[in-house]
Amino acid sequence: MGNEPFEEILMGNEAIVRAMVETGTKVVTSYPGSPTPEIATAINSIPEEKRPFYFEFSVNEKVASEVAFGAAVNGNLSCVFFKSVGLNVALDTVVQFSLMNIIGGLVIVVGDDPGANSSQNEQDNRNIYHMARLTVFEPASPKEAYIYYKHAAEFAKKEQTAAVLRLTTHVCHAREKIGFGALNPPPLFRNDFNRDNGPYIALTSMALEMKAGAIQKLKQAKLFARTKGLNTILSSDKNQDLGIITSGLTYLSVLDVLETTQTCPDILKLGMINPLDEEILIDFLSSHKQVLILEELDNILELQIKSLAFDNGINTSIIGKVDDDDFIGEYTPDKTLKKLAATWPDLVSTPANDEDALFDVPARPAQMCPGCGHRSAFFAIKKALSASDITVADIGCHTLGFMPPYNMGEILMCMGASTGMASGLSLENSKRVVAFLGDSTFFHAGLPGIINAVFNRHDVTLIVMENGTTAMTGHQDNAGECISIEALLKGLGIEQVVTCDTYSQERLTDLVRQSLAHKGLSVVIASHPCMLKFTRAQRKKTGYIQKHISIDQETCTRTHACVEQFGCPSFIRNKDGRVDINLDLCIGDGSCRPSCPEQAVGFDREEK
Ligand SMILES: Cc1ncc(C[n+]2csc(CCOP(=O)(O)OP(=O)(O)O)c2C)c(N)n1
């Protein structure tokens, strides 16, 4: 990263890191989650000694927000970033931010995920910013993500507050050529915390006084948006009757669709979506006969704009969401085209049959990687369970245990919820209840459920799926690197805590049986390093030779236990029943070998 201005094609997530450096951001914190983890990858690509700010992965989004806040009230411009549902975890803290005098300024980058591409829901966090009285900047492209981060930082510093940079999946992941600014020498770390900069204790009447301050800062936000020209009108001058109000990526979808039309409605693009600038909206509404509001997910803009029109006696016809489908999924150009065609058939023609546009691509379900320790764990644990046992999943790579052939994990909620749900299910229940939990999730939100089970003596067997990393989101570090989960659980007074490598499948089956027989909370730590991370590291070493598994075709009786019970994607079952190994996938770990009753699965000749 040079000091001079330059141009480069970068992802939105990467461009934000340059903006952090250019604005003199001093402290950055996060808990990983799509669509934002590449922000951390870009940060980590700067060697620590050259990085002009402090960065940490905190144990969860709430703690990450608190660390960034602490640094910001000490006078340092700070940033916290996480995914959509991360805001749920952080909310108890984040909802207080607008009440505080954050002297250094704080930027909260949240990646929403319309389409639930990599999330357990597609919640629209714009609902929350209104309640939390937070100013929200919404870029439409990677270039704008870079520019709007700088706006958010400037505003947060100026008003001594927190501001949100709202991203969505494709703004994070798209790539665009961006012109970057010059770097000034990084500011020094500040230690300016002083209670007189507060009040910082929001209790009783102070909370109300502080709320009045939050309302004032939102008014300043509207002025800031005007000075920066964040809410802009794109006018073709040909069609003054029709207008569109939109924001974020949907704006680009609208441009895409309207590229082919003869006339183009005027477009009001909102770059600041909370608070809304009533003045520009009233002007726009009053000067058009019909206005279509195009927004992904909920009808947040629509409800506010309709109420604004009502209060101001504006008769413009305002069209928002019409059917349930309008609330679901991404506003891709296809979907936007359909919506525009349904609203203004004379302007945009109805798209040809959908089927024509689809490629016939076979579905490719998510699955665990070859050699994944979780697969060995599920294979072994299944042998210890009976059909009546209830299995409760948690979020992580191990969630995939719900799929065939393992079929373990019949209910899933959110990170860390498995032990609590299992406790509830175990009450007055003759069925045994087994919960699963990943190691990163253990520290993130898993511990309170475990402590609750100890405290209230719930009869649950918990299996901690320990792989030494936060695998699902791209191998980020977690607290398990320096804190022993086994020691921690023993310290909580849990009597039955055992650890087993998941490749020792017979032993793991035995330990799960023993733990199920134990009354109260019992824990099995099913441990094996993430093999994707491990093999990647191995391949970087010189002289590394890839091992493979081979099948002795003379011994193989074609029972297919390897395919049907172990289910590693490296096995290929041919039409004639013969099983082969896909050498591009197989990592030669051998964890599949115990699955063959005939012992026909061995290592390839080279390794014997
Ligand atoms: C509140 C929240 N934050 C972040 C995520 C993204 N996420 C999904 S699973 C996961 C953690 C996975 O790590 P771990 O528990 O160790 O299981 P593994 O994938 O390694 O098996 C994360 C961070 C999420 N779903 N919810």
Side-chain angles (χ1 to χ4, degrees), residues 388-437:
S388 63
D389 295 337
I390 299 174
T391 51
V392 183
D394 213 290
I395 299 206
C397 290
H398 50 88
T399 310
L400 298 172
F402 83 93
M403 301 208 329
Y406 326 105
N407 304 313
M408 261 178 280
E410 300 158 279
I411 181 164
L412 172 76
M413 182 82 77
C414 58
M415 281 188 76
S418 61
T419 317
M421 289 195 290
S423 290
L425 278 159
S426 73
L427 298 173
E428 301 290 328
N429 196 344
S430 57
K431 293 180 179 173
R432 302 183 301 184
V433 186
V434 179
F436 294 91
L437 186 66

Short mmCIF file of all heavy atoms in Angstrom, two decimals, residues 388-437:
data_model
loop_
_atom_site.label_atom_id
_atom_site.label_comp_id
_atom_site.label_asym_id
_atom_site.label_seq_id
_atom_site.Cartn_x
_atom_site.Cartn_y
_atom_site.Cartn_z
N SER A 388 -34.00 -42.63 18.63
CA SER A 388 -34.88 -41.74 19.39
C SER A 388 -34.15 -40.52 19.97
O SER A 388 -34.79 -39.57 20.43
CB SER A 388 -35.56 -42.51 20.52
OG SER A 388 -34.56 -42.96 21.41
N ASP A 389 -32.82 -40.55 19.98
CA ASP A 389 -32.07 -39.42 20.56
C ASP A 389 -32.34 -38.14 19.75
O ASP A 389 -32.45 -38.18 18.53
CB ASP A 389 -30.57 -39.71 20.55
CG ASP A 389 -30.21 -40.88 21.46
OD1 ASP A 389 -31.00 -41.17 22.38
OD2 ASP A 389 -29.17 -41.51 21.22
N ILE A 390 -32.40 -37.03 20.48
CA ILE A 390 -32.62 -35.74 19.79
C ILE A 390 -31.25 -35.07 19.61
O ILE A 390 -30.48 -34.96 20.58
CB ILE A 390 -33.55 -34.84 20.60
CG1 ILE A 390 -34.92 -35.51 20.78
CG2 ILE A 390 -33.71 -33.47 19.95
CD1 ILE A 390 -35.87 -34.76 21.71
N THR A 391 -30.96 -34.63 18.40
CA THR A 391 -29.67 -33.97 18.16
C THR A 391 -29.89 -32.50 17.79
O THR A 391 -30.69 -32.18 16.93
CB THR A 391 -28.89 -34.70 17.04
OG1 THR A 391 -29.74 -34.84 15.92
CG2 THR A 391 -28.40 -36.05 17.49
N VAL A 392 -29.15 -31.64 18.48
CA VAL A 392 -29.34 -30.19 18.33
C VAL A 392 -28.08 -29.59 17.70
O VAL A 392 -26.99 -29.74 18.25
CB VAL A 392 -29.61 -29.55 19.71
CG1 VAL A 392 -29.88 -28.06 19.56
CG2 VAL A 392 -30.78 -30.23 20.40
N ALA A 393 -28.24 -28.93 16.57
CA ALA A 393 -27.07 -28.40 15.84
C ALA A 393 -26.73 -26.98 16.30
O ALA A 393 -27.52 -26.31 16.96
CB ALA A 393 -27.37 -28.39 14.35
N ASP A 394 -25.53 -26.55 15.94
CA ASP A 394 -25.15 -25.14 16.11
C ASP A 394 -24.54 -24.69 14.79
O ASP A 394 -24.51 -25.45 13.83
CB ASP A 394 -24.19 -24.97 17.29
CG ASP A 394 -24.40 -23.64 17.97
OD1 ASP A 394 -24.05 -22.61 17.36
OD2 ASP A 394 -24.93 -23.60 19.10
N ILE A 395 -24.08 -23.42 14.77
CA ILE A 395 -23.62 -22.89 13.48
C ILE A 395 -22.11 -23.06 13.29
O ILE A 395 -21.34 -22.75 14.19
CB ILE A 395 -24.04 -21.42 13.35
CG1 ILE A 395 -25.56 -21.35 13.40
CG2 ILE A 395 -23.51 -20.82 12.05
CD1 ILE A 395 -26.17 -20.18 12.71
N GLY A 396 -21.73 -23.55 12.14
CA GLY A 396 -20.32 -23.76 11.82
C GLY A 396 -20.26 -24.81 10.73
O GLY A 396 -21.30 -25.27 10.24
N CYS A 397 -19.05 -25.23 10.36
CA CYS A 397 -18.95 -26.28 9.33
C CYS A 397 -19.70 -27.53 9.77
O CYS A 397 -20.27 -28.25 8.95
CB CYS A 397 -17.49 -26.63 9.08
SG CYS A 397 -16.58 -25.34 8.26
N HIS A 398 -19.69 -27.79 11.09
CA HIS A 398 -20.32 -29.02 11.61
C HIS A 398 -21.84 -29.01 11.47
O HIS A 398 -22.48 -30.04 11.64
CB HIS A 398 -19.92 -29.23 13.08
CG HIS A 398 -20.13 -28.00 13.88
ND1 HIS A 398 -21.32 -27.72 14.49
CD2 HIS A 398 -19.32 -26.93 14.10
CE1 HIS A 398 -21.23 -26.53 15.06
NE2 HIS A 398 -20.02 -26.04 14.83
N THR A 399 -22.43 -27.86 11.11
CA THR A 399 -23.87 -27.84 10.86
C THR A 399 -24.20 -28.85 9.76
O THR A 399 -25.28 -29.44 9.74
CB THR A 399 -24.34 -26.44 10.39
OG1 THR A 399 -23.83 -25.47 11.28
CG2 THR A 399 -25.85 -26.33 10.35
N LEU A 400 -23.23 -29.06 8.85
CA LEU A 400 -23.46 -29.95 7.71
C LEU A 400 -23.71 -31.39 8.14
O LEU A 400 -24.11 -32.22 7.31
CB LEU A 400 -22.29 -29.87 6.73
CG LEU A 400 -22.09 -28.47 6.13
CD1 LEU A 400 -20.80 -28.41 5.33
CD2 LEU A 400 -23.28 -28.10 5.25
N GLY A 401 -23.52 -31.69 9.41
CA GLY A 401 -23.86 -33.02 9.93
C GLY A 401 -25.34 -33.32 9.81
O GLY A 401 -25.75 -34.48 9.93
N PHE A 402 -26.16 -32.30 9.55
CA PHE A 402 -27.61 -32.57 9.41
C PHE A 402 -27.92 -33.30 8.10
O PHE A 402 -28.96 -33.89 7.93
CB PHE A 402 -28.44 -31.27 9.51
CG PHE A 402 -28.54 -30.49 8.22
CD1 PHE A 402 -29.61 -30.68 7.35
CD2 PHE A 402 -27.56 -29.57 7.87
CE1 PHE A 402 -29.70 -29.96 6.16
CE2 PHE A 402 -27.65 -28.86 6.68
CZ PHE A 402 -28.71 -29.05 5.83
N MET A 403 -26.94 -33.27 7.18
CA MET A 403 -27.21 -33.85 5.85
C MET A 403 -26.93 -35.36 5.88
O MET A 403 -26.21 -35.85 6.72
CB MET A 403 -26.31 -33.17 4.83
CG MET A 403 -26.58 -31.69 4.80
SD MET A 403 -26.26 -30.85 3.29
CE MET A 403 -24.98 -31.67 2.52
N PRO A 404 -27.51 -36.09 4.90
CA PRO A 404 -27.17 -37.50 4.80
C PRO A 404 -25.67 -37.65 4.51
O PRO A 404 -25.10 -36.76 3.88
CB PRO A 404 -28.00 -37.99 3.60
CG PRO A 404 -28.92 -36.88 3.26
CD PRO A 404 -28.41 -35.64 3.86
N PRO A 405 -24.99 -38.67 4.92
CA PRO A 405 -25.56 -39.85 5.59
C PRO A 405 -25.62 -39.73 7.12
O PRO A 405 -26.00 -40.70 7.77
CB PRO A 405 -24.58 -40.95 5.19
CG PRO A 405 -23.27 -40.24 5.10
CD PRO A 405 -23.57 -38.86 4.59
N TYR A 406 -25.23 -38.58 7.67
CA TYR A 406 -25.10 -38.52 9.14
C TYR A 406 -26.45 -38.20 9.79
O TYR A 406 -26.79 -38.73 10.83
CB TYR A 406 -24.04 -37.49 9.55
CG TYR A 406 -22.90 -37.44 8.55
CD1 TYR A 406 -22.77 -36.39 7.65
CD2 TYR A 406 -22.01 -38.51 8.46
CE1 TYR A 406 -21.78 -36.39 6.69
CE2 TYR A 406 -21.01 -38.51 7.50
CZ TYR A 406 -20.90 -37.44 6.61
OH TYR A 406 -19.94 -37.45 5.67
N ASN A 407 -27.18 -37.25 9.21
CA ASN A 407 -28.50 -36.86 9.72
C ASN A 407 -28.47 -36.51 11.20
O ASN A 407 -29.33 -36.92 11.96
CB ASN A 407 -29.54 -37.97 9.47
CG ASN A 407 -29.60 -38.32 8.00
OD1 ASN A 407 -29.66 -37.44 7.16
ND2 ASN A 407 -29.56 -39.60 7.69
N MET A 408 -27.46 -35.78 11.60
CA MET A 408 -27.37 -35.37 13.00
C MET A 408 -27.47 -33.86 13.09
O MET A 408 -26.68 -33.15 12.47
CB MET A 408 -26.07 -35.85 13.61
CG MET A 408 -26.25 -37.13 14.41
SD MET A 408 -24.71 -37.68 15.03
CE MET A 408 -24.07 -38.45 13.58
N GLY A 409 -28.40 -33.39 13.92
CA GLY A 409 -28.69 -31.97 14.01
C GLY A 409 -30.06 -31.77 13.40
O GLY A 409 -30.20 -31.65 12.19
N GLU A 410 -31.08 -31.80 14.27
CA GLU A 410 -32.45 -31.72 13.75
C GLU A 410 -33.03 -30.33 13.92
O GLU A 410 -34.12 -30.04 13.43
CB GLU A 410 -33.33 -32.74 14.47
CG GLU A 410 -32.84 -34.16 14.29
CD GLU A 410 -33.34 -35.08 15.38
OE1 GLU A 410 -32.75 -35.11 16.48
OE2 GLU A 410 -34.33 -35.77 15.13
N ILE A 411 -32.32 -29.50 14.65
CA ILE A 411 -32.82 -28.13 14.86
C ILE A 411 -31.62 -27.19 15.00
O ILE A 411 -30.60 -27.57 15.58
CB ILE A 411 -33.75 -28.08 16.10
CG1 ILE A 411 -34.30 -26.68 16.32
CG2 ILE A 411 -33.11 -28.62 17.35
CD1 ILE A 411 -35.50 -26.64 17.25
N LEU A 412 -31.75 -26.00 14.43
CA LEU A 412 -30.64 -25.03 14.41
C LEU A 412 -31.22 -23.63 14.59
O LEU A 412 -32.24 -23.31 13.98
CB LEU A 412 -29.92 -25.12 13.06
CG LEU A 412 -28.85 -24.06 12.77
CD1 LEU A 412 -27.58 -24.38 13.55
CD2 LEU A 412 -28.52 -24.01 11.28
N MET A 413 -30.57 -22.83 15.40
CA MET A 413 -31.09 -21.47 15.60
C MET A 413 -30.05 -20.42 15.19
O MET A 413 -30.11 -19.84 14.14
CB MET A 413 -31.48 -21.30 17.07
CG MET A 413 -32.09 -19.96 17.39
SD MET A 413 -33.82 -19.89 16.99
CE MET A 413 -34.49 -20.81 18.35
N CYS A 414 -29.08 -20.19 16.04
CA CYS A 414 -28.07 -19.16 15.78
C CYS A 414 -26.84 -19.53 16.60
O CYS A 414 -26.88 -20.50 17.35
CB CYS A 414 -28.61 -17.79 16.19
SG CYS A 414 -29.10 -17.72 17.91
N MET A 415 -25.80 -18.73 16.48
CA MET A 415 -24.54 -19.11 17.13
C MET A 415 -24.69 -19.28 18.64
O MET A 415 -25.19 -18.40 19.33
CB MET A 415 -23.45 -18.08 16.84
CG MET A 415 -22.84 -18.24 15.46
SD MET A 415 -21.42 -17.17 15.24
CE MET A 415 -20.18 -18.06 16.18
N GLY A 416 -24.26 -20.43 19.14
CA GLY A 416 -24.21 -20.66 20.59
C GLY A 416 -25.51 -21.12 21.20
O GLY A 416 -25.58 -21.33 22.42
N ALA A 417 -26.54 -21.31 20.40
CA ALA A 417 -27.87 -21.60 20.97
C ALA A 417 -28.09 -23.08 21.29
O ALA A 417 -29.08 -23.44 21.91
CB ALA A 417 -28.96 -21.12 20.01
N SER A 418 -27.16 -23.95 20.84
CA SER A 418 -27.47 -25.40 20.92
C SER A 418 -27.65 -25.88 22.35
O SER A 418 -28.60 -26.62 22.64
CB SER A 418 -26.38 -26.21 20.21
OG SER A 418 -25.13 -26.01 20.83
N THR A 419 -26.76 -25.49 23.28
CA THR A 419 -26.86 -26.07 24.63
C THR A 419 -28.14 -25.60 25.32
O THR A 419 -28.83 -26.40 25.96
CB THR A 419 -25.63 -25.68 25.48
OG1 THR A 419 -24.46 -25.82 24.68
CG2 THR A 419 -25.50 -26.57 26.70
N GLY A 420 -28.48 -24.34 25.17
CA GLY A 420 -29.71 -23.83 25.77
C GLY A 420 -30.94 -24.54 25.22
O GLY A 420 -31.82 -24.97 25.97
N MET A 421 -30.99 -24.69 23.90
CA MET A 421 -32.15 -25.38 23.29
C MET A 421 -32.20 -26.83 23.77
O MET A 421 -33.28 -27.36 24.06
CB MET A 421 -32.05 -25.36 21.76
CG MET A 421 -32.29 -23.99 21.15
SD MET A 421 -32.57 -24.11 19.38
CE MET A 421 -30.97 -24.56 18.75
N ALA A 422 -31.01 -27.46 23.84
CA ALA A 422 -30.96 -28.86 24.30
C ALA A 422 -31.46 -28.95 25.74
O ALA A 422 -32.18 -29.88 26.10
CB ALA A 422 -29.53 -29.39 24.18
N SER A 423 -31.11 -27.98 26.57
CA SER A 423 -31.57 -27.97 27.97
C SER A 423 -33.08 -27.95 28.02
O SER A 423 -33.71 -28.72 28.75
CB SER A 423 -31.03 -26.74 28.70
OG SER A 423 -29.64 -26.87 28.89
N GLY A 424 -33.66 -27.07 27.23
CA GLY A 424 -35.13 -26.98 27.20
C GLY A 424 -35.76 -28.28 26.72
O GLY A 424 -36.75 -28.75 27.27
N LEU A 425 -35.15 -28.87 25.68
CA LEU A 425 -35.69 -30.12 25.14
C LEU A 425 -35.56 -31.27 26.15
O LEU A 425 -36.35 -32.22 26.12
CB LEU A 425 -34.93 -30.49 23.86
CG LEU A 425 -35.41 -29.78 22.59
CD1 LEU A 425 -34.32 -29.80 21.52
CD2 LEU A 425 -36.67 -30.44 22.05
N SER A 426 -34.57 -31.18 27.03
CA SER A 426 -34.31 -32.30 27.95
C SER A 426 -35.29 -32.33 29.13
O SER A 426 -35.39 -33.33 29.83
CB SER A 426 -32.88 -32.21 28.49
OG SER A 426 -32.79 -31.14 29.42
N LEU A 427 -36.02 -31.24 29.34
CA LEU A 427 -36.89 -31.17 30.52
C LEU A 427 -38.01 -32.22 30.43
O LEU A 427 -38.72 -32.27 29.43
CB LEU A 427 -37.49 -29.76 30.65
CG LEU A 427 -36.48 -28.63 30.87
CD1 LEU A 427 -37.17 -27.27 30.81
CD2 LEU A 427 -35.72 -28.79 32.17
N GLU A 428 -38.12 -33.03 31.45
CA GLU A 428 -39.19 -34.05 31.54
C GLU A 428 -39.25 -34.90 30.28
O GLU A 428 -40.32 -35.26 29.81
CB GLU A 428 -40.56 -33.38 31.75
CG GLU A 428 -40.69 -32.53 32.99
CD GLU A 428 -40.69 -33.36 34.27
OE1 GLU A 428 -41.19 -34.49 34.24
OE2 GLU A 428 -40.16 -32.86 35.29
N ASN A 429 -38.08 -35.17 29.69
CA ASN A 429 -38.04 -35.89 28.41
C ASN A 429 -37.32 -37.22 28.59
O ASN A 429 -36.20 -37.25 29.10
CB ASN A 429 -37.32 -35.01 27.37
CG ASN A 429 -37.56 -35.49 25.96
OD1 ASN A 429 -38.01 -36.63 25.75
ND2 ASN A 429 -37.28 -34.63 24.99
N SER A 430 -37.96 -38.30 28.20
CA SER A 430 -37.29 -39.61 28.35
C SER A 430 -36.25 -39.81 27.25
O SER A 430 -35.41 -40.69 27.33
CB SER A 430 -38.33 -40.73 28.30
OG SER A 430 -39.03 -40.62 27.07
N LYS A 431 -36.31 -38.98 26.21
CA LYS A 431 -35.32 -39.10 25.12
C LYS A 431 -34.01 -38.43 25.54
O LYS A 431 -34.03 -37.42 26.25
CB LYS A 431 -35.85 -38.44 23.86
CG LYS A 431 -37.03 -39.15 23.26
CD LYS A 431 -37.49 -38.42 22.01
CE LYS A 431 -38.68 -39.16 21.40
NZ LYS A 431 -39.27 -38.40 20.30
N ARG A 432 -32.91 -38.97 25.05
CA ARG A 432 -31.61 -38.34 25.35
C ARG A 432 -31.39 -37.17 24.38
O ARG A 432 -31.81 -37.23 23.22
CB ARG A 432 -30.49 -39.37 25.21
CG ARG A 432 -30.70 -40.56 26.13
CD ARG A 432 -29.56 -41.53 26.03
NE ARG A 432 -29.36 -42.05 24.68
CZ ARG A 432 -28.46 -42.99 24.38
NH1 ARG A 432 -27.69 -43.50 25.32
NH2 ARG A 432 -28.31 -43.41 23.13
N VAL A 433 -30.73 -36.13 24.88
CA VAL A 433 -30.54 -34.95 24.04
C VAL A 433 -29.04 -34.66 23.88
O VAL A 433 -28.30 -34.58 24.87
CB VAL A 433 -31.27 -33.72 24.63
CG1 VAL A 433 -31.17 -32.55 23.65
CG2 VAL A 433 -32.72 -34.02 24.94
N VAL A 434 -28.63 -34.53 22.65
CA VAL A 434 -27.21 -34.29 22.33
C VAL A 434 -27.08 -32.96 21.58
O VAL A 434 -27.79 -32.74 20.59
CB VAL A 434 -26.65 -35.44 21.45
CG1 VAL A 434 -25.19 -35.19 21.09
CG2 VAL A 434 -26.82 -36.78 22.15
N ALA A 435 -26.20 -32.09 22.05
CA ALA A 435 -26.00 -30.80 21.39
C ALA A 435 -24.60 -30.75 20.78
O ALA A 435 -23.66 -31.34 21.33
CB ALA A 435 -26.17 -29.67 22.39
N PHE A 436 -24.45 -30.04 19.67
CA PHE A 436 -23.14 -29.85 19.03
C PHE A 436 -22.78 -28.37 19.10
O PHE A 436 -23.66 -27.49 19.06
CB PHE A 436 -23.20 -30.30 17.57
CG PHE A 436 -23.42 -31.77 17.42
CD1 PHE A 436 -24.70 -32.30 17.33
CD2 PHE A 436 -22.34 -32.65 17.38
CE1 PHE A 436 -24.91 -33.68 17.21
CE2 PHE A 436 -22.54 -34.02 17.26
CZ PHE A 436 -23.82 -34.53 17.17
N LEU A 437 -21.48 -28.09 19.17
CA LEU A 437 -21.02 -26.69 19.28
C LEU A 437 -19.59 -26.60 18.75
O LEU A 437 -18.73 -27.40 19.15
CB LEU A 437 -21.05 -26.29 20.77
CG LEU A 437 -20.75 -24.85 21.16
CD1 LEU A 437 -21.83 -23.92 20.65
CD2 LEU A 437 -20.68 -24.72 22.68
#
